[in-house]
Amino acid sequence: MQMNFCSHCGQPVRLVIPDGDNVQRHVCVACGTVHYQNPKIVAGCVPEYEGRILLCRRAIEPRLGYWTIPAGFMENGETTQDAARREAAEEALAEVEIGSLLAVVHVLHADQVHVMFRARLPAPQFGVGRESLEVMLCDEAGIPWDDMAFRSVSFALRRYLDDRRNRVEQHHFTTIDFRRQPPG
Ligand SMILES: [Zn+2]
């Protein structure tokens, strides 16, 4: 991500490789602070109620109008499970019980790691959160695969359904890199 000014002292930064490092960093010309940039973690879950999956249609960019599972950026001070539970509460007004780890998706072009869990929705109680246009419980045949918001979500959902059919709960890993392999 491009950075122009030091968030510590407000002076300009330059892109240089610091001594003892091997990656270009934004380094402040005045105070010398090195501004490291690292991937962000997105946490989400696949909530299930009696065989049906809770899906949300996004009310915000990116991918406004497309379907997703509840997921979003982690906050400081919470675990990935906390974050996944909070996102389900915010986007689908659903109180879910987080289960086992489902998928870790490395989204290299976005500098993100998506961590997806299985989850149980104890009762069919949910609503439309501020970041959603619509929320639905959907059986496998009704999943709008052509209108999914993100590749990582489709991956997690497909692995979820495969595992459910096979009565296993595996951990799945994959990498998505549109820098080399554009979408489409
Ligand atoms: Zn500075």
Side-chain angles (χ1 to χ4, degrees):
M1 197 187 298
Q2 179 59 37
M3 181 182 213
N4 297 312
F5 298 101
C6 177
S7 55
H8 188 64
C9 75
Q11 294 300 304
V13 294
R14 280 190 311 156
L15 257 187
V16 295
I17 300 176
D19 288 341
D21 205 336
N22 54 7
V23 175
Q24 278 198 331
R25 313 282 183 189
H26 291 98
V27 179
C28 178
V29 298
C31 75
T33 299
V34 182
H35 297 275
Y36 293 96
Q37 295 190 351
N38 305 97
K40 287 189 157 60
I41 296 177
V42 168
C45 66
V46 179
E48 181 181 313
Y49 173 75
E50 292 188 349
R52 289 182 295 161
I53 310 288
L54 192 69
L55 295 180
C56 307
R57 201 151 75 82
R58 292 172 61 81
I60 52 171
E61 295 288 359
R63 304 293 282 163
L64 191 156
Y66 288 85
W67 291 93
T68 183
I69 58 176
F73 289 109
M74 277 182 82
E75 300 289 356
N76 292 338
E78 64 183 4
T79 66
T80 47
Q81 288 96 330
D82 290 339
R85 193 181 307 109
R86 177 179 51 71
E87 291 292 341
E90 289 177 3
E91 296 178 2
L93 310 183
E95 298 299 325
V96 302
E97 295 166 7
I98 299 296
S100 59
L101 176 66
L102 168 63
V104 175
V105 182
H106 301 99
V107 189
L108 296 187
H109 56 272
D111 300 322
Q112 294 173 3
V113 180
H114 296 191
V115 180
M116 310 298 203
F117 294 91
R118 295 176 182 83
R120 199 172 82 84
L121 183 64
Q125 289 168 2
F126 57 92
V128 180
R130 202 175 44 82
E131 295 179 358
S132 304
L133 294 172
E134 193 181 340
V135 176
M136 66 173 174
L137 271 177
C138 183
D139 60 19
E140 184 169 353
I143 294 176
W145 293 111
D146 292 340
D147 293 316
M148 298 306 295
F150 304 109
R151 203 70 72 90
S152 64
V153 169
S154 302
F155 174 82
L157 267 178
R158 288 191 193 283
R159 297 290 85 74
Y160 181 89
L161 296 168
D162 287 348
D163 280 4
R164 189 173 73 173
R165 208 172 293 119
N166 298 323
R167 298 176 183 283
V168 294
E169 294 193 3
Q170 300 188 79
H171 310 320
H172 302 275
F173 297 84
T174 194
T175 299
I176 301 171
D177 189 355
F178 289 171
R179 295 172 309 178
R180 270 178 263 160
Q181 165 206 355

